[in-house]
Amino acid sequence: MTELKTDPRIVRTRKLIMDAFIELSSQKEFKDITVKDITTKAMINRATFYYHFQDIYDLLEKALSEVLLINLNYEKYENAALDEETIADIFLAVTKFQQSLSTRCHRGYEDTIARIIREQLEVIFYKMLLREHGLKDDSALKLAAGMLSWGIYGASVKWRQNSELGPEEFIKKAVPYLLHGVSKSFNGVHSCTSVGGKDGRI
Amino acid sequence: MTELKTDPRIVRTRKLIMDAFIELSSQKEFKDITVKDITTKAMINRATFYYHFQDIYDLLEKALSEVLLINLNYEKYENAALDEETIADIFLAVTKFQQSLSTRCHRGYEDTIARIIREQLEVIFYKMLLREHGLKDDSALKLAAGMLSWGIYGASVKWRQNSELGPEEFIKKAVPYLLHGVSKSFNGVHSCTSVGGKDGRI
DNA sequence: ACGGATCTGTCGGATATGCAACACATTCGA
DNA sequence: TCGAATGTGTTGCATATCCGACAGATCCGT
């Protein structure tokens, strides 16, 4: 829907840059990676880099977003119900993504990464909520999506601090709280028509 | 020497095309590979393909040449003496290259491949001869290089027909004939100053 | 034998990329 | 403290690449 096709050169060049950056990230820390390093490995001109990205931090954000989105396997959730199982799946994808990052060294950029994860989650949750509730109260949906994303990310932080349980068991214990908490406030304040109780859907 | 630098886009695009072609060659026969297949996998426009290559046969030649050159490890021979050991090395590289091709299906293009191999060998032999003899009789050097390349390729054909011996033993039996045959005619006709006998050098 | 489908090779006009140079900031050793 | 060296963003002009369309070739089912 409303897809305006982008120039193939742009797709190709972005991919070259992203791949080069991810490869470099596995070799040295982010703070030691220069734009020249990336463009050399990507076989493009340095000026072209700035045609696509604001700066190297912009690249970091977009690269991480992309990798996370792939990890999140977005098409899978596109039409899934926002139930316990889906949330558990997403939580697993997030923890898996964070573990894949921990090997590379991004010390000092935890906040950026956290924000990216939350933003991505928020977009996904918003789309799912929108599909289930329509847009009669958009700001409420956005609020719910935001809170869910913070909740999931917070859960992943909690889990890393206290990893006695496996991620599966951990999220299964946490998810009822998340779902009913969000569900209650959402239904209570805005009297949404959908029934929050039946199968755990919001 | 006299290197005019080529546009990086050209290098990059050629590499994309070559890599795509080599990848496709491992998946289906040459006759089933279309230009569209290649350009799609290489993420370039079809018109761009024709900017770089005459047609798909031109690509075949250049791709094979490149792969063979890499197999031949050209820098290694750049300054090596044209003695028995070097010739054996080159022979091994050729047989190894042909075996790497046999898995992919290039039926019907044996002649093309054979010609490419001979041409590449001829270039290498010519450079080595030129370095050892100077250019006082250029046409004679070219003749000798050509005969050597035919000889090596012929030896590889013979070896494939009769592979009771390993390639190492096989070429060691054949190389004295090659060396002295070429050496004699070359020295005899043109009275070259270098001594053909001493250590087997031409 | 016929038409549809696919592939080939080519063209002119639009666009992304390359290049060289620039000013500015940061780092680092003398 | 001072340069020298390196990295960052930006700019104008040159060029490789993209697009869409075209005519002809080849293949294939009916």
Side-chain angles (χ1 to χ4, degrees):
Chain A
M1 37 286 270
T2 75
E3 309 192 2
L4 55 140
K5 35 188 168 183
T6 63
D7 192 310
R9 284 172 285 185
I10 292 184
V11 178
R12 189 214 307 140
T13 299
R14 288 222 167 103
K15 175 172 168 52
L16 288 172
I17 293 178
M18 295 254 186
D19 289 350
F21 175 64
I22 289 175
E23 166 105 19
L24 280 173
S25 291
S26 67
Q27 295 169 1
K28 47 174 145 175
E29 297 192 28
F30 176 75
K31 72 175 175 53
D32 294 329
I33 296 177
T34 131
V35 174
K36 182 75 183 147
D37 291 339
I38 297 170
T39 56
T40 299
K41 177 161 297 231
M43 296 202 295
I44 59 146
N45 191 275
R46 203 166 56 86
T48 305
F49 176 92
Y50 293 100
Y51 182 88
H52 292 276
F53 301 96
Q54 195 86 9
D55 51 32
I56 205 174
Y57 302 98
D58 186 31
L59 169 62
L60 174 65
E61 295 202 15
K62 290 176 176 163
L64 288 184
S65 301
E66 182 143 309
V67 173
L68 176 60
L69 263 190
I70 292 174
N71 262 24
L72 278 177
N73 191 10
Y74 183 64
E75 296 77 14
K76 178 178 173 185
Y77 304 118
E78 183 103 44
N79 294 307
L82 190 44
D83 54 14
E84 176 166 345
E85 188 185 341
T86 302
I87 288 189
D89 268 4
I90 293 178
F91 177 79
L92 286 180
V94 169
T95 56
K96 193 177 156 196
F97 171 69
Q98 286 175 315
Q99 279 178 328
S100 80
L101 284 183
S102 67
T103 62
R104 303 173 199 140
C105 297
H106 287 285
R107 285 193 295 261
Y109 294 92
E110 292 86 356
D111 293 345
T112 302
I113 294 171
R115 180 171 46 75
I116 292 170
I117 292 178
R118 276 188 283 101
E119 287 170 353
Q120 295 293 320
L121 290 179
E122 189 168 339
V123 169
I124 290 180
F125 285 136
Y126 174 69
K127 286 189 181 173
M128 297 179 80
L129 285 170
L130 193 62
R131 178 166 40 75
E132 298 193 355
H133 295 279
L135 39 64
K136 59 184 167 186
D137 195 343
D138 200 50
S139 63
L141 294 185
K142 281 179 175 156
L143 177 60
M147 292 176 62
L148 265 177
S149 69
W150 277 94
I152 290 286
Y153 183 78
S156 79
V157 173
K158 283 283 177 197
W159 175 73
R160 272 184 295 170
Q161 292 169 348
N162 171 25
S163 49
E164 298 160 356
L165 295 174
E168 293 86 352
E169 296 82 13
F170 183 88
I171 192 57
K172 285 203 174 124
K173 282 179 67 173
V175 82
Y177 176 77
L178 268 175
L179 267 182
H180 296 133
V182 173
S183 177
K184 267 185 209 161
S185 76
F186 185 73
N187 285 329
V189 176
H190 301 92
S191 67
C192 175
T193 56
S194 92
V195 205
K198 192 181 166 200
D199 57 2
R201 283 199 196 181
I202 300 176
Chain B
M1 35 283 265
T2 74
E3 309 193 4
L4 55 140
K5 36 187 167 181
T6 62
D7 193 309
R9 285 172 284 185
I10 292 184
V11 179
R12 189 213 308 141
T13 299
R14 288 223 166 102
K15 175 172 169 51
L16 288 172
I17 293 177
M18 295 252 185
D19 289 348
F21 175 64
I22 289 174
E23 167 105 19
L24 279 173
S25 292
S26 67
Q27 295 169 1
K28 46 174 147 176
E29 296 192 29
F30 176 75
K31 72 175 175 54
D32 294 329
I33 297 177
T34 131
V35 175
K36 181 74 183 148
D37 292 339
I38 297 169
T39 56
T40 299
K41 177 162 295 231
M43 296 202 296
I44 60 144
N45 190 275
R46 204 166 56 86
T48 306
F49 176 91
Y50 293 101
Y51 183 89
H52 293 276
F53 301 97
Q54 195 85 10
D55 50 33
I56 204 174
Y57 302 98
D58 185 31
L59 169 62
L60 174 65
E61 294 201 15
K62 289 176 177 162
L64 288 184
S65 300
E66 184 145 306
V67 174
L68 177 60
L69 263 190
I70 292 172
N71 261 23
L72 277 176
N73 192 7
Y74 183 65
E75 295 77 15
K76 178 178 174 185
Y77 303 118
E78 185 102 44
N79 295 309
L82 189 45
D83 53 15
E84 177 166 346
E85 187 185 342
T86 301
I87 289 189
D89 268 3
I90 293 178
F91 177 79
L92 286 179
V94 170
T95 56
K96 191 176 157 197
F97 171 68
Q98 286 174 316
Q99 280 179 326
S100 79
L101 284 184
S102 67
T103 62
R104 302 172 200 142
C105 296
H106 288 288
R107 286 192 294 260
Y109 295 93
E110 292 85 355
D111 293 346
T112 301
I113 294 171
R115 178 171 47 77
I116 292 171
I117 292 177
R118 276 188 283 103
E119 287 170 353
Q120 294 294 318
L121 290 179
E122 188 168 340
V123 169
I124 291 181
F125 285 135
Y126 174 70
K127 287 190 181 173
M128 296 178 80
L129 285 170
L130 193 62
R131 177 167 40 75
E132 297 195 354
H133 295 279
L135 39 63
K136 59 184 164 185
D137 195 343
D138 200 50
S139 63
L141 293 185
K142 281 178 175 158
L143 177 59
M147 293 177 62
L148 265 177
S149 69
W150 278 94
I152 290 287
Y153 183 77
S156 79
V157 172
K158 283 283 178 197
W159 175 73
R160 271 183 296 169
Q161 291 169 349
N162 171 24
S163 49
E164 296 159 358
L165 294 174
E168 294 86 352
E169 296 83 11
F170 183 89
I171 191 58
K172 285 202 173 126
K173 282 178 68 173
V175 82
Y177 174 77
L178 269 174
L179 268 180
H180 296 133
V182 173
S183 176
K184 266 185 207 162
S185 77
F186 185 73
N187 284 331
V189 176
H190 301 92
S191 67
C192 175
T193 55
S194 91
V195 205
K198 192 182 168 200
D199 57 2
R201 284 199 197 182
I202 300 178

